[in-house]
Amino acid sequence: MSDWESDKEPGWGDKPAEPEQSAPARKRGLFGSKEPALPPESGRDWRLIEKLVMSLQAEQRRSRRWGIFFKILTFGYLFALLFFIRSPLGDSVDSVAGHHTALVEVRGTIAADELASADNLVTSLRNAFEAERSKAVVLRINSPGGSPVQAGYVYDEIKRLREEYPDKKVYAVISDIGASGAYYIAAAADEIYANRASLVGSIGVIAGGFGFSEMLDKIGVDRRLYTAGESKAFLDPFSPERDEDVAFWQSVLENTHQQFISAVKEGRGDRLADDERLFSGLVWSGEQAVELGLVDGLGSTSWVARQLVGEENLVDYSRRPSPFRELVDQLGVSVGEGVATRMLESRLELR
């Protein structure tokens, strides 16, 4: 054997022999070094980690899509809310073709901050009278009354519109109740009709409140009230009641009552019966009201339109609250405010 075939170690110039590999060559690392082989357990762990990362990425994409959806939904809701707030009331009629009987609703408490306010009712009445094809106007009343000021405004406007449009008659139709300030308004109509069981009348004035002065004494609370003017604390609920204040307030009620009586007498005239109870504040059924001359007969809105006006087609000119206002009212947001107002304020009302 020659030296070239000997078993000696190769020298520095010789190329070392490649070791045999039964397994596939391992992948090289970032810098050329060989990565260590992973045991089977570590391989499973890495696959689980990979699946977890992929699922987290999918969940993030899903969350972003839902986030975009809810942002669009929120902006749409805010725009709709802004539209409803900027349009608190809407007219029920823009244009009407054909002859018809105009309808105006007087519903609920008559007050400046209610739907049955003078502003809303006067606007509706003017639109109804100004409509060229309306043959007559029907006031459909379902109200227990309210502010004498608001009722007086509507009463005066009906009288004015009757003079301006002498060919158009005004009919008041009382459904469940037409009392106090509601009857004040009805008295301005040419004729009044009701159901036999309707509640009609209550021609009187009322103002009420509570007195808390003795309660404050019992719980040891000192009322400190500073005024400039002898009667500035007039009828203060937390101060003792004074006889002179009560007498003065009674004179105010009597004066307002006389205004109410004069309006009813002017509107009803000789049709009123000679009965001392008529202006006592009592309320009567529709049948009794006919006998007393408070109403002209028994009939519904559709009956008046069909039989008296001769135009069965009814077109509603009443102003309506916006959907946002109706939603708030249904949720009862104003209940607490109303209770507090009733307890602490002395309000003059026709009832």
Side-chain angles (χ1 to χ4, degrees):
M1 180 183 298
S2 64
D3 293 337
W4 300 102
E5 296 176 354
S6 64
D7 295 334
K8 68 177 181 178
E9 293 287 333
W12 63 272
D14 297 321
K15 181 179 179 181
E18 295 272 348
E20 293 183 3
Q21 295 182 355
S22 58
R26 298 189 186 100
K27 295 180 181 179
R28 294 191 174 274
L30 183 62
F31 298 102
S33 61
K34 297 178 181 178
E35 295 181 357
L38 297 174
E41 293 79 1
S42 300
R44 286 196 298 270
D45 292 343
W46 279 106
R47 284 194 294 273
L48 289 174
I49 292 173
E50 183 179 9
K51 289 181 179 179
L52 178 61
V53 171
M54 295 298 292
S55 65
L56 288 175
Q57 290 178 346
E59 183 66 27
Q60 287 177 350
R61 288 193 295 269
R62 193 178 302 113
S63 299
R64 284 196 296 269
R65 287 195 294 268
W66 279 109
I68 294 172
F69 171 75
F70 282 115
K71 286 177 182 177
I72 294 174
L73 189 64
T74 302
F75 278 113
Y77 172 78
L78 292 176
F79 278 121
L81 188 64
L82 180 63
F83 173 78
F84 289 144
I85 291 174
R86 292 181 64 87
S87 303
L89 290 170
D91 295 323
S92 59
V93 177
D94 292 326
S95 60
V96 179
H99 294 287
H100 59 274
T101 300
L103 175 67
V104 176
E105 298 265 9
V106 181
R107 182 187 306 168
T109 304
I110 301 169
D113 54 352
E114 297 290 340
L115 187 60
S117 67
D119 287 341
N120 291 336
L121 293 177
V122 166
T123 300
S124 301
L125 286 165
R126 288 175 181 172
N127 292 336
F129 272 95
E130 291 171 2
E132 294 182 359
R133 300 193 178 186
S134 65
K135 295 186 65 177
V137 179
V138 174
L139 283 167
R140 184 160 60 192
I141 297 173
N142 188 12
S143 169
S147 165
V149 176
Q150 298 293 307
Y153 284 151
V154 180
Y155 178 94
D156 294 339
E157 184 64 16
I158 293 174
K159 302 288 282 187
R160 187 191 70 82
L161 289 170
R162 285 178 57 187
E163 294 178 1
E164 185 175 352
Y165 299 90
D167 295 333
K168 291 186 180 181
K169 295 188 69 173
V170 183
Y171 299 92
V173 178
I174 297 171
S175 55
D176 294 296
I177 182 170
S180 195
Y183 187 79
Y184 193 155
I185 292 174
D190 291 287
E191 297 177 14
I192 304 175
Y193 292 87
N195 183 270
R196 64 177 61 88
S198 301
L199 297 178
V200 182
S202 187
I203 302 173
V205 184
I206 186 173
F210 294 88
F212 301 99
S213 58
E214 293 185 6
M215 183 187 72
L216 296 182
D217 294 337
K218 290 181 179 179
I219 62 177
V221 176
D222 183 21
R223 170 68 164 163
R224 297 177 180 177
L225 184 64
Y226 309 100
T227 65
E230 182 181 355
S231 299
K232 190 60 180 178
F234 169 71
L235 295 182
D236 175 60
F238 298 101
S239 301
E241 193 175 54
R242 301 189 307 175
D243 293 338
E244 55 269 29
D245 290 347
V246 175
F248 176 78
W249 188 233
Q250 186 62 40
S251 70
V252 174
L253 299 181
E254 294 290 345
N255 181 261
T256 307
H257 190 203
Q258 288 301 318
Q259 296 172 12
F260 193 178
I261 294 172
S262 298
V264 173
K265 287 183 176 180
E266 180 184 357
R268 300 299 296 167
D270 296 337
R271 290 172 287 186
L272 291 174
D274 186 12
D275 193 319
E276 60 182 9
R277 301 173 302 164
L278 205 58
F279 305 115
S280 64
L282 290 174
V283 63
W284 289 275
S285 69
E287 285 185 338
Q288 293 172 317
V290 173
E291 298 175 359
L292 294 170
L294 293 173
V295 301
D296 296 284
L298 303 178
S300 64
T301 302
S302 58
W303 180 86
V304 169
R306 182 175 60 253
Q307 299 295 332
L308 301 182
V309 181
E311 194 60 60
E312 192 172 2
N313 180 28
L314 285 165
V315 176
D316 193 353
Y317 284 79
S318 309
R319 293 175 67 92
R320 303 290 182 190
S322 68
F324 177 73
R325 173 71 180 274
E326 289 183 339
L327 176 63
V328 171
D329 291 343
Q330 289 174 0
L331 292 175
V333 174
S334 61
V335 171
E337 180 183 357
V339 172
T341 301
R342 286 287 183 182
M343 290 183 64
L344 298 178
E345 290 187 4
S346 178
R347 180 178 295 180
L348 180 63
E349 291 184 343
L350 297 179
R351 277 198 280 168

